[in-house]
């Protein structure tokens, strides 16, 4: 009898996981067609212009094109989570660079493209919230507005952030909350 409940629970968890993937895919398609392509292209152009930073900015470019299903989490939180769960640490070339290089890269990014992209996200979010005035567009506009608000901090400081699946981000946030207690 116990085995039957365990199997039903496993099937239920697989159903939830598949549902999350499908909903993220649908959200990404809607995002892409309602302006995500423009914001993603801005990220791509900025990464190409600042080509020495291109390897570090490419995850942010893909996140700007397809933001649903992933969340930005600080690299320190991910490292603490991996240590807590006895997982191997990742190689992060940007983290190994000197503090001066990190400071210069972040400063150049903010002064050249960071504020422009953050402003673009803010304007896009406000436009989507404006679309919420029409009751019919709320299911499309509200998630896009929230995704834009989520991308504003990433636009300012993309180097201290790691993009991970949303379910893992929830686990990391719970782990960080437990460690604070």
């Amino acid at each position: 009898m116990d085995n039957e409940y365990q199997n039903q629970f496993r099937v239920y968890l697989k159903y939830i996981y598949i549902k999350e993937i499908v909903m993220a895919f649908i959200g990404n398609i809607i995002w892409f067609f309602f302006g995500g392509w423009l914001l993603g292209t801005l990220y791509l152009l900025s990464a190409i212009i600042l080509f020495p930073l291109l390897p570090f900015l490419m995850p942010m470019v893909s996140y700007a094109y397809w933001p649903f299903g992933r969340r930005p989490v600080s690299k320190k939180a991910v490292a603490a989570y991996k240590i807590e769960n006895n997982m191997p640490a990742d190689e992060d070339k940007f983290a190994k660079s000197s503090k001066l290089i990190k400071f210069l890269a972040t400063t150049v990014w903010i002064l050249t493209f960071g504020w422009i992209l953050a402003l673009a996200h803010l304007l896009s979010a406000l436009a989507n919230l404006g679309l919420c005035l029409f009751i019919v567009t709320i299911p499309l506009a509200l998630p896009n507005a929230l995704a834009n608000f989520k991308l504003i901090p990433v636009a300012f400081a993309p180097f201290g952030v790691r993009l991970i699946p949303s379910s893992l981000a929830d686990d990391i946030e719970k782990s960080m909350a437990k460690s604070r207690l």
Side-chain angles (χ1 to χ4, degrees):
M1 197 64 140
D2 255 355
N3 232 356
E4 182 180 333
Y5 288 122
Q6 287 176 347
N7 288 336
Q8 287 177 348
F9 186 68
R10 284 188 190 122
V11 169
Y12 178 70
L13 287 179
K14 286 180 186 179
Y15 169 75
I16 290 175
Y17 181 71
I18 291 171
K19 184 178 174 185
E20 284 181 13
I21 291 173
V22 170
M23 292 305 291
F25 177 73
I26 292 170
N28 284 328
I29 296 297
I30 292 169
W31 166 266
F32 187 80
F33 286 114
F34 284 98
W37 63 271
L38 180 62
L39 292 171
T41 303
L42 286 174
Y43 273 91
L44 183 61
L45 290 174
S46 62
I48 290 171
I49 291 171
L50 295 175
F51 66 90
L53 302 175
L54 185 69
F56 310 112
L57 293 173
M58 282 311 289
M60 299 307 147
V61 171
S62 74
Y63 185 60
Y65 278 119
W66 313 107
F68 294 99
R70 295 183 289 170
R71 285 209 328 240
V73 176
S74 74
K75 289 182 180 180
K76 291 179 184 178
V78 173
Y81 180 79
K82 286 188 171 200
I83 289 170
E84 182 180 311
N85 292 313
N86 298 324
M87 300 169 89
D90 287 339
E91 289 283 323
D92 186 11
K93 295 177 183 174
F94 193 77
K96 289 183 178 180
S97 60
S98 70
K99 289 184 180 184
L100 178 66
I101 298 293
K102 289 180 190 176
F103 174 76
L104 288 175
T106 304
T107 304
V108 167
W109 173 259
I110 290 172
L111 292 177
T112 55
F113 294 105
W115 71 273
I116 294 170
L117 290 169
L119 183 63
H121 285 299
L122 180 65
L123 292 175
S124 181
L126 292 176
N128 278 303
L129 286 177
L131 286 174
C132 286
L133 293 175
F134 306 108
I135 305 251
V136 177
T137 60
I138 289 175
L140 296 176
L142 192 59
N144 283 345
L146 295 176
N148 274 302
F149 283 128
K150 187 171 68 170
L151 281 163
I152 290 173
V154 176
F156 270 121
F159 302 118
V161 175
R162 180 114 190 252
L163 300 170
I164 57 175
S166 295
S167 57
L168 182 58
D170 291 338
D171 289 344
I172 290 174
E173 286 176 3
K174 287 177 189 173
S175 173
M176 294 300 289
K178 285 179 184 176
S179 67
R180 289 184 192 136
L181 292 177

